[in-house]
């Protein structure tokens, strides 16, 4: 079983899969061309200057390749990567231990950086800016600060919720990159590459069908490919064709545009409980029994992308396309009201 750079054994199948299929070079990393171009220049320049890369912030929807990009940056810089996440750093001591164990040139990756507490963020500022770990000893009038020098390092932070980062934290990154959803053609390329690595044959039609249902997201595409491989294996087919994909998707309750039952539940709640919206995210979460965070980070970005959901100052609303997809008539009075409010919802 492969070991990630921080030496923790890989436990979850999803992690194992991600590592097997993870691109090993920028050339293998499909899409996100602008980000790759800018990163290549920044990395090349840092190497010429023999300096660590400036701190990098990567944001974008879940499963879009933020962690993969951090691995590639560290690899290009020929640096060791230390991996942690916002929720894992609970106490000041947790961060102090991570920072004091860094070696010169290391890359520290903090996933879900928006989940760091204010207190931890404040330790991070001087560490990022002047490579100094400022620790306050004691309390009240007798308190004093000691400063421990840190080796030169690069912080790569990733988040699905850039809006939750404080501006002092955001301003301390040398560059910020937004990863975008992938085109269907890019997802097909990723699927074909993954199929080769997994040793399975995928017909062009099957690849296309899978790409349409993959929510424009590599992690979803690779997961669905594995489920198709399972079905082909137990049914003793050598090739994954369109028919196998259709049946695998049906078993997983994933429809032809990639919506899962939770996506459909959220849209139904909006339509049936809130007259199509607008409704507040808390109300939608309560009525659909989904976590508010999961709606914001997992379901909503794709529903917005495919135009099934819209965000207005008064909350989220289901669009005409969402009604059509669920086979529900779009009430004329909503049409009129939205026209009247001059909201470009469709
Ligand atoms: N796996 C995750 N993201 C990828 C990408 N952009 N290209 C290839 N494989 C990937």
């Amino acid at each position: 079983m492969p070991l990630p750079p921080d030496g923790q054994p890989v436990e979850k199948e999803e992690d194992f899969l991600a590592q097997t299929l993870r691109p090993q070079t920028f050339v293998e990393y499909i899409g996100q061309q602008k980000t790759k171009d800018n990163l290549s220049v920044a990395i090349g320049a840092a190497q010429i200057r023999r300096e660590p890369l400036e701190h990098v912030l990567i944001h974008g929807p879940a499963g879009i390749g933020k962690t993969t990009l951090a691995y590639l940056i560290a690899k290009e810089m020929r640096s060791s990567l230390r991996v942690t996440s916002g929720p894992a750093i609970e106490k000041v001591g947790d961060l102090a231990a991570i920072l004091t164990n860094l070696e010169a040139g290391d890359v520290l990756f903090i996933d879900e950086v928006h989940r760091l507490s204010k207190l931890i963020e404040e330790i991070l500022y001087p560490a990022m800016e002047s490579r100094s770990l400022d620790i306050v000893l004691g309390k009240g009038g007798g308190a004093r600060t000691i400063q421990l020098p840190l080796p030169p390092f690069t912080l790569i932070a990733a988040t699905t919720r850039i809006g939750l980062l404080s501006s002092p934290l955001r301003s301390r990154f040398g560059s910020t990159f937004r990863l975008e959803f992938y085109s269907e053609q890019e997802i097909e390329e990723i699927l074909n590459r993954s199929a080769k690595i997994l040793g399975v044959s995928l017909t062009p039609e099957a690849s296309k069908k899978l790409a349409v249902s993959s929510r424009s997201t590599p992690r979803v595409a690779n997961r669905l490919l594995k489920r198709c491989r399972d079905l082909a294996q137990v049914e003793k087919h050598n090739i994954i064709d369109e028919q196998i994909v259709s049946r695998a998707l049906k078993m997983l309750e994933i429809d032809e545009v990639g919506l899962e039952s939770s996506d459909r539940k959220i849209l139904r709640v909006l339509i049936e409980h809130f007259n199509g919206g607008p409704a507040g995210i808390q109300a939608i979460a309560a009525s659909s029994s989904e976590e508010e965070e999961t709606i914001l980070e997992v379901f909503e970005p794709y529903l917005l992308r495919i135009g099934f959901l819209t965000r207005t100052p008064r909350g989220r609303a289901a669009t005409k396309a969402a009604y059509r997809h669920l086979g529900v008539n779009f009430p004329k009075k909503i049409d009129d009201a939205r026209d009247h409010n001059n909201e470009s919802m469709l």
Side-chain angles (χ1 to χ4, degrees):
M1 198 170 266
L3 289 177
D6 61 355
Q8 295 300 309
V10 176
E11 283 167 7
K12 290 186 288 178
E13 180 204 52
E14 204 68 25
D15 290 350
F16 180 74
L17 173 74
Q19 301 218 356
T20 321
L21 301 181
R22 179 165 284 151
Q24 299 300 312
T25 62
F26 273 112
V27 176
E28 284 183 30
Y29 188 93
I30 292 155
Q32 315 292 352
Q33 196 58 47
K34 255 191 269 160
T35 295
K36 282 194 296 185
D37 291 345
N38 282 310
L39 271 173
S40 294
V41 172
I43 291 170
Q47 283 174 332
I48 291 169
R49 293 194 299 263
R50 296 178 185 278
E51 285 173 3
L53 182 69
E54 278 188 64
H55 307 304
V56 176
L57 176 61
I58 308 172
H59 66 109
I64 216 95
K66 298 186 289 297
T67 305
T68 299
L69 204 53
Y71 274 84
L72 290 184
I73 294 170
K75 202 164 171 188
E76 289 279 319
M77 291 294 297
R78 293 185 199 89
S79 301
S80 298
L81 183 72
R82 309 275 151 193
V83 180
T84 187
S85 73
I89 307 174
E90 286 179 17
K91 295 183 241 123
V92 170
D94 297 335
L95 181 60
I98 293 168
L99 292 173
T100 51
N101 277 307
L102 290 175
E103 286 174 21
D106 276 1
V107 172
L108 171 63
F109 177 59
I110 305 184
D111 201 5
E112 299 187 69
V113 72
H114 60 274
R115 302 233 201 151
L116 286 179
S117 71
K118 200 94 227 96
L119 191 67
I120 307 279
E121 257 193 31
E122 277 164 18
I123 303 285
L124 209 47
Y125 299 156
M128 291 173 76
E129 218 162 48
S130 41
R131 293 186 204 141
S132 151
L133 179 64
D134 297 357
I135 298 181
V136 181
L137 296 176
K139 280 186 181 160
R144 62 195 176 90
T145 305
I146 54 163
Q147 293 185 321
L148 294 178
L150 294 170
F153 72 100
T154 300
L155 172 67
I156 304 181
T159 180
T160 45
R161 306 279 302 280
I162 185 85
L164 296 185
L165 294 200
S166 67
S167 41
L169 181 57
R170 259 197 274 178
S171 67
R172 282 171 169 84
F173 290 93
S175 30
T176 297
F177 299 103
R178 182 190 155 76
L179 299 192
E180 307 289 344
F181 277 117
Y182 291 72
S183 69
E184 263 167 44
Q185 199 191 335
E186 287 166 344
I187 295 287
E188 270 188 68
E189 272 183 62
I190 291 172
L191 282 164
N192 295 337
R193 174 181 174 274
S194 299
K196 247 190 225 146
I197 295 169
L198 295 174
V200 294
S201 301
L202 191 62
T203 67
E205 296 76 22
S207 171
K208 198 169 190 60
K209 191 164 184 61
L210 263 181
V212 173
S213 299
S214 293
R215 309 172 75 89
S216 313
T217 306
R219 186 189 293 159
V220 176
N222 285 333
R223 194 177 65 221
L224 296 183
L225 176 64
K226 273 201 75 189
R227 298 291 76 84
C228 291
R229 179 179 71 157
D230 289 349
L231 189 60
Q233 257 169 357
V234 296
E235 293 187 351
K236 305 203 183 331
H237 297 291
N238 295 325
I239 296 176
I240 298 173
D241 60 12
E242 211 180 343
Q243 227 239 10
I244 290 182
V245 172
S246 291
R247 283 189 293 120
L249 292 175
K250 194 151 185 236
M251 286 168 75
L252 296 166
E253 297 184 73
I254 293 171
D255 66 27
E256 61 284 1
V257 293
L259 298 195
E260 297 172 12
S261 54
S262 298
D263 298 290
R264 291 189 294 270
K265 185 163 63 178
I266 289 164
L267 292 175
R268 280 206 181 280
V269 156
L270 257 176
I271 290 173
E272 289 167 9
H273 297 206
F274 301 101
N275 291 323
I281 199 77
Q282 282 176 330
I284 299 170
S287 300
S288 62
S289 316
E290 293 290 347
E291 297 265 338
E292 199 179 316
E293 292 243 311
T294 318
I295 296 180
L296 288 172
E297 290 174 23
V298 180
F299 301 117
E300 178 175 273
Y302 185 65
L303 291 171
L304 286 169
R305 172 174 164 90
I306 61 171
F308 280 14
L309 200 67
T310 183
R311 266 201 308 223
T312 77
R314 288 175 294 130
R316 275 72 175 168
T319 63
K320 219 177 215 176
Y323 276 78
R324 204 179 307 125
H325 184 72
L326 295 179
V328 181
N329 279 335
F330 191 67
K332 182 163 180 331
K333 62 177 187 232
I334 296 185
D335 227 351
D336 293 345
R338 289 183 186 175
D339 280 348
H340 179 74
N341 288 333
N342 211 9
E343 287 165 355
S344 54
M345 309 189 90
L346 314 172

